[in-house]
């Protein structure tokens, strides 16, 4: 039953797009954003294959090529920390260690914090080099980062639990 | 020199509210489009050619030539496309984001004029998925333009029609390469195509496609309004017009600055950006991004222009100027760049897939880097890779070995 329900939801999202290949990335973004765990499930991929009339293999090929898409569940907030040269020079790798320790993320926790709120990823240049180091939490950019600023951001996200 | 009087891409961008297109129109916005629609399309191409405008995405190819190649390829073809490359991913580069967030209408105006000039009726703006604000501001601007008959059927009650839509990327540096971007636009994995044929001949769905960078399109309205001679009077002999420089690092005021090509690094850092932060000493810069070149203090008085940098084996690229100082871990930085190439290599060409990995693995051992060995590998990659990604690591490695390997 659960599967049928998911399928219905997936097709409801897909119906907003023209069934042309040039709409695939937009559709995948929408499916991923609609999933509370911000990933593209195998059911969603099957729905995409059916809707756009391409093979499941082709869909998998697309999803795994682009770094913003994930085939694995993630936290409610995806923290994408920039590791490009300017952020590197401004110490972004220290911030990554700090974040990982702070949220107690390891490979064994599948990179999701115990409360299910956070996943940390690194990303290539976010284009905010004049305010390095920078990170993105879901769709919002935070820049000129320090440990203190990160504490504030995490605290706000944890306590208010506000939508980004 | 007065550094504030040079606004083409960012013209009046601080003076109007994005929700209010009337303000943009008041500051002579869309005058260029009106003028262009009364001109012969070939005359527009000629004018762009004469202006000397070169592509601002990094390669610096003459824009007018690209337009005329696209036009020439369409012999009785039924469709030409115009694509705006807004997949800004070159490390250290953030100028297109600036234009899209602050001055989206000028991009639409420039694209519409270019579409009219080459005879295209359909266009796409490919924006990287991480640029949420740019996506929102461009989307809003497109909607407003449709409402004001500046896009869509019979623009400004004339006979020309042009449809424009946004395409959102999903995280891939490689998709900033024009043919890879086109593959991605077609809803595929971002793998580079073999060229030739170039997009002008066979681009989107194998139709002739004019593809330019955001900044390039933003220069077209100025050229149409003021004429190619006025535009060509700005800059140096082979690098015309202004350029957005993205300055980052430990300078007092990092940011995006629009300045005439030919300004020196010294002027840019010490006059425009207010000099180095206290206790930091200028050591050099990485110009043009990861696929760019390192320069040292001897470059302070070299004009930042395509030809002058090329003469010295450097490149202007996208206009990124990452300033290095006495605290910069240079070998660490080189390794960081090589990690970037390893991550972004699509894996299609074996020399690039394996090459980027071994270069990064070797560079990690900072105390024992054999730069000559790395140069050999990078040279082999440059000769045997299909797209600019595999051809790029040689640039930072070679320039690093020249200026900083001691």
């Amino acid at each position: 039953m659960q599967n049928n329900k998911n399928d219905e939801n997936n097709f409801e999202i897909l119906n907003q797009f023209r069934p042309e290949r040039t709409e695939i990335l937009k559709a995948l973004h929408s499916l991923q954003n609609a999933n509370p765990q911000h990933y593209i499930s195998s059911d969603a991929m099957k729905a995409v294959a059916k809707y756009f009339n391409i093979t499941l293999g082709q869909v998998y090929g697309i999803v795994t090529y682009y770094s913003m898409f994930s085939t694995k569940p993630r936290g409610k907030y995806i923290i994408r920390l920039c590791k490009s040269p300017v952020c590197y020079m401004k110490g972004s790798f220290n911030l990554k260690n700090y974040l990982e320790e702070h949220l107690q993320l390891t490979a064994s926790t599948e990179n999701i914090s115990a409360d299910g709120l956070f996943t940390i990823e690194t990303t290539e240049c976010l284009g905010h080099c004049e305010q390095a180091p920078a990170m993105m939490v879901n769709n919002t950019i935070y820049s000129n980062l320090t440990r203190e600023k990160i504490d504030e951001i995490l605290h706000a996200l944890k306590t208010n639990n506000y939508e980004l | 020199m007065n550094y504030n009087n040079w606004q083409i891409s960012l013209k009046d961008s601080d003076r109007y509210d994005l929700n209010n297109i009337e303000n943009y129109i008041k500051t002579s916005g869309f005058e260029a489009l009106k003028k262009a629609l009364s001109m012969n399309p070939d005359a527009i191409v000629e004018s762009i050619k004469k202006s000397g405008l070169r592509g601002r995405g990094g390669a610096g190819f003459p824009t007018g030539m690209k337009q005329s190649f696209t036009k020439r390829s369409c012999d009785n073809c039924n469709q030409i496309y115009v694509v705006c490359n807004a997949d800004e991913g070159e490390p250290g580069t953030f100028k297109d984001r600036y234009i899209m967030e602050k001055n989206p209408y000028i991009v639409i105006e420039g694209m519409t004029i270019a579409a009219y000039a080459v005879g295209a009726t359909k266009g796409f703006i490919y924006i990287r998925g991480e640029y949420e604000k740019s996506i929102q501001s461009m989307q809003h601007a497109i909607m407003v333009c449709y409402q004001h008959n500046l896009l869509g059927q019979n623009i400004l009650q004339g006979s020309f029609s042009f449809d424009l839509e946004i395409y959102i990327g999903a995280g891939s540096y490689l998709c900033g390469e024009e043919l890879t971007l086109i593959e991605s636009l077609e809803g595929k994995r971002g793998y580079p195509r073999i060229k030739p044929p170039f997009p002008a001949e066979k681009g989107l769905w194998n139709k002739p496609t004019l593809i330019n960078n955001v900044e390039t399109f933003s220069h077209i309205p100025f050229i149409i309004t003021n004429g190619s001679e006025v535009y060509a009077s700005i800059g140096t002999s082979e690098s015309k017009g202004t350029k957005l420089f993205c300055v980052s690092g430990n300078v007092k005021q990092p940011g995006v600055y629009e300045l005439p090509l030919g300004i020196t690094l010294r002027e840019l850092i010490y006059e425009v950006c207010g000099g180095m932060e206290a206790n930091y000493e200028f050591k050099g810069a990485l110009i043009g991004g990861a696929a760019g070149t390192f320069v040292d203090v001897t470059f302070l008085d070299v004009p930042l222009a395509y030809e002058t940098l090329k003469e010295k084996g450097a490149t202007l690229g996208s206009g990124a100027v990452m300033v290095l100082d006495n605290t910069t871990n240079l070998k660490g930085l080189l390794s960081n760049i090589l990690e970037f190439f390893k991550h972004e290599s699509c894996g299609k060409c074996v020399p690039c897939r394996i090459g980027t990995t071994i270069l990064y693995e070797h560079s990690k051992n900072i105390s024992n880097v054999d730069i000559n060995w790395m140069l050999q590998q990078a040279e082999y990659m440059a000769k045997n890779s299909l797209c600019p990604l595999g051809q790029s690591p040689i640039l930072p490695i070679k320039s690093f070995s020249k200026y900083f390997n001691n």
Side-chain angles (χ1 to χ4, degrees):
Chain A
M1 278 310 284
Q2 188 57 39
N3 273 351
N4 286 342
K5 183 90 186 78
N6 283 348
D7 237 24
E8 242 173 62
N9 290 346
N10 288 336
F11 279 103
E12 205 174 291
I13 292 167
L14 287 169
N15 279 327
Q16 299 163 15
F17 301 94
R18 303 188 300 268
E20 298 163 7
R21 268 196 93 144
T22 189
E23 297 272 288
I24 286 185
L25 289 196
K26 274 186 200 167
L28 289 169
H29 274 298
S30 289
L31 286 167
Q32 178 165 279
N33 291 339
N35 187 311
Q37 290 185 296
H38 295 295
Y39 80 112
I40 297 167
S41 66
S42 58
D43 282 344
M45 281 192 265
K46 280 177 199 157
V48 170
K50 202 168 162 192
Y51 189 78
F52 290 100
N53 197 21
I54 56 176
T55 66
L56 183 58
Q58 283 172 312
V59 179
Y60 183 79
I62 295 166
V63 172
T64 51
Y65 176 84
Y66 296 96
S67 63
M68 288 181 83
F69 296 141
S70 173
T71 56
K72 286 188 183 142
R74 294 183 282 190
K76 181 175 177 186
Y77 301 118
I78 303 162
I79 300 176
R80 294 186 171 98
L81 193 67
C82 182
K83 62 169 176 182
S84 76
V86 184
C87 287
Y88 165 83
M89 287 193 276
K90 299 262 184 179
S92 64
F93 51 95
N94 291 329
L95 295 178
K96 181 169 186 265
N97 295 341
Y98 180 69
L99 272 166
E100 279 174 350
E101 277 167 32
H102 194 83
L103 297 170
Q104 298 179 323
L105 294 182
T106 59
S108 65
T109 63
E110 302 263 334
N111 200 13
I112 302 175
S113 61
D115 51 13
L117 285 180
F118 299 101
T119 289
I120 298 177
E121 294 179 356
T122 51
T123 172
E124 299 306 344
C125 191
L126 288 175
H128 284 72
C129 321
E130 81 279 35
Q131 311 151 27
M135 69 179 187
M136 221 173 138
V137 183
N138 293 0
N139 282 329
T140 308
I141 292 277
Y142 294 94
S143 51
N144 288 320
L145 293 174
T146 57
R147 288 184 178 203
E148 293 72 33
K149 200 164 173 185
I150 284 181
D151 285 341
E152 275 170 36
I153 295 162
L154 293 183
H155 183 73
L157 292 172
K158 274 185 202 165
T159 49
N160 300 334
N161 231 350
Y162 60 72
E163 293 299 324
L164 284 173
Chain B
M1 189 193 288
N2 184 344
Y3 298 111
N4 297 320
N5 278 345
W6 303 96
Q7 293 204 329
I8 293 178
S9 295
L10 297 178
K11 183 176 180 297
D12 298 316
S13 58
D14 47 355
R15 269 196 257 160
Y16 74 94
D17 166 13
L18 294 186
N19 292 315
N20 191 347
I21 196 173
E22 275 81 16
N23 282 354
Y24 176 74
I25 293 171
K26 257 186 232 157
T27 59
S28 77
F30 290 103
E31 279 301 315
L33 178 62
K34 270 180 221 156
K35 185 176 174 190
L37 293 179
S38 69
M39 289 168 72
N40 179 327
D42 287 326
I44 297 176
V45 176
E46 268 320 298
S47 174
I48 303 296
K49 268 189 194 165
K50 272 195 204 136
S51 74
L53 172 62
R54 292 167 69 164
R56 296 291 193 254
F61 191 80
T63 307
M65 298 275 276
K66 233 182 190 180
Q67 291 181 343
S68 70
F69 288 152
T70 310
K71 250 188 130 155
R72 204 190 302 154
S73 313
C74 186
D75 190 15
N76 284 327
C77 73
N78 52 10
Q79 182 75 61
I80 297 180
Y81 293 102
V82 173
V83 176
C84 175
N85 185 344
D87 190 50
E88 182 171 67
E90 190 63 57
T93 312
F94 41 100
K95 65 188 177 68
D96 296 341
R97 169 174 72 81
Y98 226 75
I99 301 174
M100 289 190 284
E101 286 177 12
K102 295 193 184 299
N103 208 6
Y105 295 113
I106 205 169
V107 183
I108 297 173
E109 190 177 4
M111 275 187 86
T112 312
I113 296 169
Y116 173 73
V118 300
T121 53
K122 174 85 199 164
F124 292 91
I125 304 181
Y126 186 114
I127 309 180
R128 64 184 296 207
E130 292 91 340
Y131 274 10
E132 181 65 24
K133 263 184 143 174
S134 303
I135 293 167
Q136 282 176 5
S137 99
M138 285 307 314
Q139 225 148 22
H140 180 78
I142 287 177
M143 187 193 75
V144 175
C145 285
Y146 268 104
Q147 286 167 355
H148 285 76
N149 191 221
L150 293 160
L151 279 175
Q153 292 297 310
N154 302 98
I155 291 174
L156 298 168
Q157 286 82 47
S159 58
F160 178 63
S161 301
F162 181 56
D163 279 306
L164 185 58
E165 69 175 274
I166 284 178
Y167 190 88
I168 302 168
S172 163
Y173 167 68
L174 197 46
C175 289
E177 191 274 324
E178 54 186 17
L179 278 166
T180 314
L181 184 145
I182 285 168
E183 280 282 295
S184 179
L185 246 176
E186 292 180 0
K188 300 177 194 157
R189 282 169 79 90
Y191 273 176
R193 289 184 190 170
I194 292 170
K195 56 181 167 185
F198 289 90
E201 211 180 316
K202 279 187 175 172
L204 192 56
W205 296 297
N206 283 329
K207 302 289 184 192
T209 303
L210 176 73
I211 175 164
N212 283 142
N213 173 261
V214 177
E215 191 184 351
T216 314
F217 280 123
S218 74
H219 281 223
I220 290 176
F222 180 93
I223 298 168
I224 298 300
T225 307
N226 300 286
S228 43
E229 290 81 12
V230 175
Y231 186 86
S233 69
I234 308 167
T236 69
S237 61
E238 283 171 56
S239 308
K240 302 298 188 188
T242 61
K243 176 87 196 74
L244 294 183
F245 293 97
C246 316
V247 188
S248 57
N250 290 316
V251 295
K252 283 202 177 113
Q253 288 148 9
V256 173
Y257 297 97
E258 181 162 18
L259 296 157
L261 282 161
I263 187 172
T264 64
L265 203 51
R266 188 188 299 279
E267 288 168 313
L268 185 62
I269 293 172
Y270 291 96
E271 289 173 42
V272 179
C273 296
M276 300 295 291
E277 283 268 33
N279 303 325
Y280 291 99
E281 186 193 330
F282 177 82
K283 279 280 172 198
L286 177 55
I287 299 181
T293 42
F294 283 98
V295 302
D296 67 356
V297 286
T298 62
F299 276 74
L300 270 174
D301 294 306
V302 177
L304 295 170
Y306 298 107
E307 71 281 7
T308 44
L309 286 169
K310 198 178 168 193
E311 247 171 54
K312 295 201 70 177
T315 170
L316 182 65
S318 59
V321 177
M322 296 181 247
V323 177
L324 315 173
D325 58 68
N326 51 324
T327 66
T328 311
N329 175 352
L330 289 164
K331 282 186 177 165
L333 182 63
L334 182 66
S335 181
N336 175 275
I337 293 168
L338 295 170
E339 184 186 6
F340 164 75
F341 285 125
K342 169 182 170 271
H343 182 257
E344 296 297 335
S345 172
C346 77
K348 182 170 174 167
C349 308
V350 180
C352 175
R353 179 172 72 218
I354 297 178
T356 51
T357 303
I358 57 172
L359 284 175
Y360 169 57
E361 290 299 326
H362 180 81
S363 71
K364 274 201 291 192
N365 189 0
I366 285 176
S367 57
N368 199 17
V369 170
D370 181 350
I371 201 89
N372 289 324
W373 178 85
M374 285 170 76
L375 266 173
Q376 271 176 8
Q377 308 304 317
E379 247 163 51
Y380 179 78
M381 282 169 66
K383 279 183 199 149
N384 296 291
S385 304
L386 198 56
C387 88
L389 198 143
Q391 296 158 10
S392 290
I394 184 85
L395 295 166
I397 295 175
K398 201 173 190 173
S399 51
F400 183 93
S401 78
K402 207 163 158 188
Y403 303 114
F404 296 121
N405 193 38
N406 48 34

